Amino acid sequence: MDKKLSGKLFWSRLFSRTAKSPIFSTISFIVIFFMIYADSIVSNLSMNPLDFKNNNILDPSSQTQKPQQQSQPAAFATDARDEVDITENDHDPLIPPENITKQERIIWFRRKLPELEIFHSNNLTQRFHSRVLEFLNHGCTVQFYMVWLSPAKSFGKREVLAVDSLFKTNSKACLMIISRTMDSESGYRILKPFLDRRFRVLAISPDLPFLVKNTPAETWLQAMTSGTRDPGYIPMSQNLCNLIRLAMLYKYGGVYLDTDFIILKDLSELRNSVGAQSVDHETKNWTRLNGAVMIFDINHPLLVDFIEEFASTFNGNKWGHNGPFLVSRVIERVGSTSGYNVTVLPPKAFYPVDWIKIRRLFKKPENGVESRWAESMLNELNDGETYAVHLWNKRSRELKIEEGSVMARLILDHCVVCEDIYSS
C-alpha cells in the first residue's frame, strides 16, 4: 500500500476513534503534541632553500628552477550560467551553535550532515575532475587555486582585487576558484569582467570525497561523515579549506593562494615553496610558517605528510592547528629528510607587513614624514623581493583604502579591471 495513503487511513481511523472516546481523544492529543514538540527540540539543537635541520633560510639563487610546460592557449572557463544557481543566506551552516557541550555538538553535526553539500557527491560535483582537466588541458604558465566556502555575495571587492592583481602579473595563468557558491549565476556575474577580458578563470564545485580518495584524509572524511566525531567549535569551513588546498596541490600541482593578497610579481619560476611568516632576529631562522601561499609540484611527498598530519591530529577546537601551525609542525619534523627540496621564503616574499602593522598601508599620508615612509615602502615592495602582500583580512577587511595610501597606489599599479578600489 502507498505510504501516503496508509498514513491517511491511520489518521482517519485515529480521529474516528477519538470522536467516540473522550479519554482516548485526550491521550491522542497529548501524544501528538509531545511528538511535535520533541522533534522541534532535537531539530533546534540542532623564498630560500631550507636547511631543515636548523630552520635556516638561505639564498634562493642556488635553487634550480624548473619551468612548467606550456602548450596551446588555455580554453575559457566553463560558463557558470549553465550551472544551477543555489539559494544563499548569511548563516554559515558549518558553524555549530554556541555554548553547547561536545556531545551536543556531535549530535548537532550528525543531524546537519544530510544538508551539508560539501561532504557529498552529486551530479555537479562528480564532473569536478573532468572539468579541472578540461580547463588545464590547454596550457597555463601557472595553475592557481583559491578556495571559497562562503556565499558568493561575500566574495567582495577585496577578493576581486586579489583576482585582478593576479592576472595583471600572471596574465597567462589559470585560476580555479574551488567553490560551490561561486559556481553559479552569482559567481559568473562577479567573474564576468575577467572572462570578458579573456582571462582563464573558472569557479568549480569541489567533490570532497574524490579529492581525499587514496590520501590519508580518506579515513578522516569517513569518520566525520559517520557523525561520531567532534567537528569542534571552530567553523568547519575553515578546516575544510585547509584540507582542500592540500588535496588540490597534491592531485594537480600549482599555487594555492588565500583570497586576501595583492600579487606583485610573476610566480611562474617558484617551485615547492612556502613562506615564513616570522623569523628570529638574531639567528635568522624561521619561527613560524604560513600556508596562505603554497607552491608545489604534483604528488610532492611533503603534501602527503601535510594531509597525514591533518587527518591524524585534527582538532576543531584549536584555531590554526589544522592550518598555519600544521605547516610549521610538519616541516620542522621532517628535518633533513632527502627528496623534499622545499624552499622556505623569507617574510618579505609574502608577508612583508605583519598583521599588527597592516593598518598603516591603508592610510593616506598626512605629513612629510609619512609621505617619505610611503614612498620608501612602495619602492621596497615593488622593487624588492616581495611577490605578494598578504592583507590579513581579519584585521583589515573593514579598513577603507584611502586615496594616496600605499595600498591604493599599490593596487593601481597592479590591477587590470581596477574598479571601485576606494570602496573596497
Side-chain angles (χ1 to χ4, degrees):
M1 181 182 294
D2 181 77
K3 290 184 178 179
K4 290 184 178 179
L5 178 58
S6 176
K8 290 180 179 178
L9 290 173
F10 171 79
W11 291 113
S12 176
R13 292 167 183 165
L14 175 62
F15 285 108
S16 176
R17 291 178 184 176
T18 60
K20 300 177 181 179
S21 173
I23 297 176
F24 187 83
S25 174
T26 303
I27 294 174
S28 298
F29 176 82
I30 293 172
V31 170
I32 295 169
F33 177 82
F34 176 79
M35 289 171 65
I36 296 172
Y37 180 71
D39 184 68
S40 175
I41 292 175
V42 175
S43 298
N44 290 333
L45 180 59
S46 24
M47 226 149 282
N48 302 13
L50 170 67
D51 180 342
F52 281 107
K53 187 174 181 180
N54 298 312
N55 292 2
N56 289 338
I57 297 176
L58 308 175
D59 182 3
S61 62
S62 63
Q63 184 184 30
T64 301
Q65 304 291 351
K66 178 182 177 182
Q68 297 187 9
Q69 293 182 351
Q70 298 184 32
S71 57
Q72 299 296 325
F76 301 117
T78 300
D79 190 335
R81 290 173 297 181
D82 296 335
E83 304 299 343
V84 178
D85 209 348
I86 64 175
T87 302
E88 296 184 13
N89 55 58
D90 293 326
H91 175 68
D92 185 345
L94 295 171
I95 299 178
E98 295 182 357
N99 302 319
I100 60 176
T101 66
K102 174 182 175 180
Q103 191 58 37
E104 289 172 335
R105 192 163 54 235
I106 292 174
I107 294 172
W108 167 85
F109 187 67
R110 184 187 304 136
R111 294 185 62 83
K112 272 283 187 181
L113 272 170
E115 64 185 82
L116 298 179
E117 294 180 335
I118 187 67
F119 287 98
H120 310 288
S121 297
N122 57 35
N123 291 336
L124 176 61
T125 65
Q126 286 171 4
R127 296 166 49 201
F128 173 78
H129 182 57
S130 61
R131 291 178 70 191
V132 170
L133 295 183
E134 180 183 4
F135 183 60
L136 299 178
N137 190 42
H138 301 278
C140 317
T141 54
V142 192
Q143 297 171 191
F144 285 95
Y145 314 103
M146 295 177 177
V147 180
W148 189 257
L149 302 184
S150 300
K153 61 184 176 183
S154 300
F155 197 93
K157 294 176 181 177
R158 183 70 61 83
E159 288 73 28
V160 169
L161 287 177
V163 178
D164 202 348
S165 65
L166 187 156
F167 285 121
K168 174 71 173 183
T169 52
N170 299 264
S171 61
K172 301 301 182 182
C174 295
L175 169 63
M176 279 186 283
I177 301 175
I178 314 303
S179 172
R180 176 67 182 91
T181 59
M182 288 292 288
D183 192 3
S184 66
E185 180 69 29
S186 299
Y188 174 81
R189 288 194 296 268
I190 293 169
L191 298 176
K192 190 175 185 300
F194 303 103
L195 294 168
D196 288 346
R197 290 166 173 80
R198 303 178 71 82
F199 290 120
R200 302 169 178 88
V201 56
L202 172 69
I204 182 169
S205 300
D207 191 313
L208 188 59
F210 166 79
L211 279 171
V212 302
K213 188 174 180 60
N214 298 325
T215 76
E218 188 170 13
T219 55
W220 174 87
L221 182 61
Q222 290 170 353
M224 293 305 301
T225 54
S226 71
T228 59
R229 187 165 183 176
D230 181 17
Y233 68 82
I234 294 170
M236 178 60 75
S237 53
Q238 292 186 21
N239 288 316
L240 289 177
C241 178
N242 291 326
L243 176 58
I244 290 172
R245 73 183 71 178
L246 297 175
M248 286 298 300
L249 290 173
Y250 177 65
K251 294 209 165 182
Y252 301 104
V255 181
Y256 168 79
L257 281 172
D258 274 1
T259 57
D260 54 347
F261 274 93
I262 299 297
I263 315 301
L264 307 183
K265 289 183 174 63
D266 182 357
L267 302 181
S268 60
E269 293 185 355
L270 295 178
R271 290 184 60 231
N272 301 324
S273 305
V274 296
Q277 180 179 322
S278 59
V279 297
D280 185 287
H281 293 295
E282 293 185 1
T283 66
K284 305 304 179 183
N285 297 334
W286 62 264
T287 56
R288 179 179 295 180
L289 306 180
N290 197 311
V293 181
M294 292 189 291
I295 305 164
F296 281 100
D297 293 340
I298 188 172
N299 296 333
H300 193 281
L302 189 59
L303 293 168
V304 179
D305 292 344
F306 285 155
I307 297 173
E308 168 64 32
E309 180 75 6
F310 180 96
S312 61
T313 72
F314 177 82
N315 189 327
N317 296 308
K318 289 184 178 180
W319 185 91
H321 177 82
N322 311 303
F325 299 148
L326 178 151
V327 175
S328 298
R329 288 198 309 273
V330 172
I331 290 185
E332 185 172 30
R333 186 171 65 239
V334 297
S336 56
T337 304
S338 61
Y340 282 79
N341 300 319
V342 174
T343 299
V344 171
L345 302 171
K348 59 186 173 183
F350 302 123
Y351 314 100
V353 183
D354 65 38
W355 62 274
I356 297 175
K357 300 177 181 178
I358 193 67
R359 179 181 297 269
R360 192 175 184 186
L361 268 61
F362 290 77
K363 299 297 181 182
K364 177 181 179 179
E366 298 292 343
N367 53 51
V369 173
E370 292 181 357
S371 294
R372 287 190 291 274
W373 174 86
E375 291 296 332
S376 175
M377 176 60 70
L378 280 168
N379 291 335
E380 182 178 341
L381 294 175
N382 284 320
D383 302 329
E385 298 179 22
T386 298
Y387 288 86
V389 180
H390 192 218
L391 302 185
W392 308 102
N393 257 4
K394 286 187 177 181
R395 182 80 172 182
S396 68
R397 176 176 290 279
E398 303 304 322
L399 297 178
K400 179 182 178 181
I401 300 175
E402 298 182 3
E403 189 170 358
S405 66
V406 171
M407 189 56 57
R409 295 173 62 184
L410 204 61
I411 292 169
L412 288 172
D413 287 340
H414 299 87
C415 65
V416 180
V417 179
C418 309
E419 290 183 352
D420 301 326
I421 71 166
Y422 299 115
S423 60
S424 301

